[in-house]
Amino acid sequence: MPDIDIQHSHTMEPQQARAAVQDIADKLTERFGVVCRWDRDTLHFDRSGIEGQIEVAPSSLHVTATLGFLFAAMKGPIESELRRVLDKRFS
């Protein structure tokens, strides 16, 4: 069961939503050294202590992440920041 599970609706065209998710992934890579890869419409990301995915659907995003021991202590701030970024990019 993931530690973070966020559903977020959007009204973007599929290509726009995917591009916006890629922008988020690029920032995660730059700031935190996260490794990202696409598998169809799902962006998988991981680094030591965190593993997750962002699934891009026609009218929603589904973000899930499993946190390791150290990141689990920061679940609240991580989830809040994810929600803030999603609100900013997809609202």
Side-chain angles (χ1 to χ4, degrees), residues 18-78:
R18 188 179 166 116
V21 169
Q22 183 61 54
D23 287 343
I24 293 168
D26 293 344
K27 287 184 174 98
L28 287 172
T29 298
E30 184 180 302
R31 288 180 68 189
F32 304 110
V34 173
V35 175
C36 300
R37 67 175 173 76
W38 284 96
D39 180 14
R40 298 185 186 212
D41 290 328
T42 302
L43 177 88
H44 298 270
F45 59 90
D46 63 75
R47 66 157 280 169
S48 179
I50 188 166
E51 181 179 310
Q53 62 186 30
I54 304 172
E55 184 179 346
V56 180
S59 61
S60 66
L61 302 172
H62 186 199
V63 181
T64 57
T66 302
L67 306 174
F69 180 73
L70 293 175
F71 283 102
M74 300 182 334
K75 177 187 175 193
I78 292 170

